[in-house]
Amino acid sequence: MSFITQIFTLAVFAIFVNNFVLSKFLGLCPYIGVSKKIDSAVGMGMAVIFVMTMASTFTWLIQEYLLIPYELEYLQTIAFILTIASLVQLVEMVIQKTAPSLYKALGVFLPLITTNCAVLGVSILNIQEDFNFLGAILNGLFSGLGFTLVLVLMAGLRERLEKSEVPEAMKGMPIAFVIAGCMALAFLGFSGLNF
Amino acid sequence: MNLWKEFTKGFIKENPVFIMALGLCPTLAVTSSVKNAIGMGLAATFVLTCSNMIISLIKNLIPDKIRIPCFIIVIASFVTIVDLVMNAYTPEIHKNLGLFIPLIVVNCIILGRAEAFASKNKLLPSLLDGLGMGLGFTLALVLIGSIREILGAGLWLGKEVMPDAYIENPMLVAILAPGAFIIMGLLMGLIKLVNKGK
């Protein structure tokens, strides 16, 4: 398989087939919580793409050059969550200094991301699936894209839902879950893809 | 009496999953069978109880500004313990839960209780709060797990509970991802309806 095909396959699998939200159940809290408006969904999505790519990069390096040489693999969970927490803080500070307009758009979402399980999830999955360095970065990027895609789709659906009549008890979160179920059903179709 | 209240509030009144909508990822991901649901529930209960205890003991030592990272380290340590113990003694459940054991670290129930309760209360109430919330979480997982396993496979805890004809041709979607979302949504709606009727 040529290099380009490999990347393409990785992208399709990370975005559609193994979508983080709909087939791996990662990052559900922001998926349900921040999907009421398209604007904020886009902002959150961008922040997640950014942090997931960065986190994949740094956690892979830490695993390879710190934990494995010193035989500290059992500290993976602690090391990764600390890396992610400090990374998010660092990113927040850097963006605030260098790109104030970007900070305005992403700022409120960044602190929330530390406890987004999709970020820790992608870091651990990269190690479990034995990706090389480039693979880990790309997997982080594409998984983030997949997350953003379904988040924005969901926000669009929920904006329209505001105007429709939903039974009183199903308003808000319950109906959001049922919609997510329907989306997951649609995404299940992608699992038939074969390369 | 008050302590008893701290213990039982997590079961129904402030159930972390159905009422507060916390810890959704593991709730949907591991409930394809009751066995996994119990494993996950108990693992989280252990981490929650221990971290609540430790945090309530050291709450005066932690500077206010860095309390969240401190909480996360305490929680991550207990998650590592659970991870290693489960790997040694219940390898099958450990394999099924897989990624979601390390992810207990970012389970918002645990950090939420540390921040909202343990950092403000004494040892004994914190312990009971953690235990109660953990069991409430387990209860919710087992409930969803039961519905999914019975509908999706005709089994409950691996035992056949539906007629043979159903088991041969079950409603498979209930075990798959879409079923998890839809069942969760319907359950939440039902609970909202019942609460309103009171």
Side-chain angles (χ1 to χ4, degrees), chain B residues 111-134:
Chain B
L111 194 61
R113 291 328 286 173
E115 168 78 1
F117 197 92
S119 63
K120 297 188 186 88
N121 285 283
K122 289 211 176 74
L123 178 63
L124 195 61
S126 302
L127 191 157
L128 290 172
D129 175 77
L131 201 60
M133 282 289 164

Side-chain angles (χ1 to χ4, degrees), chain A residues 52-64:
Chain A
M52 270 170 98
T53 316
M54 299 280 280
S56 302
T57 315
F58 282 97
T59 49
W60 193 90
L61 289 174
I62 284 185
Q63 172 81 10
E64 198 73 359

Side-chain angles (χ1 to χ4, degrees), chain A residues 89-167:
Chain A
Q89 200 95 75
L90 203 71
V91 166
E92 201 183 339
M93 286 193 291
V94 169
I95 294 185
Q96 196 176 10
K97 273 269 183 281
T98 55
S101 57
L102 189 64
Y103 180 75
K104 246 188 180 165
L106 302 186
V108 282
F109 303 111
L110 282 171
L112 292 174
I113 291 178
T114 313
T115 49
N116 182 343
C117 50
V119 180
L120 184 59
V122 79
S123 309
I124 298 175
L125 276 176
N126 282 337
I127 307 297
Q128 275 180 4
E129 296 189 3
D130 250 346
F131 278 121
N132 58 19
F133 187 48
L134 189 65
I137 298 177
L138 288 176
N139 191 38
L141 175 68
F142 293 138
S143 301
L145 278 174
F147 175 83
T148 308
L149 176 73
V150 292
L151 184 68
V152 173
L153 283 178
M154 183 70 167
L157 287 171
R158 282 180 83 175
E159 272 191 0
R160 301 200 61 162
L161 208 64
E162 294 264 297
K163 297 185 186 73
S164 53
E165 271 180 51
V166 178

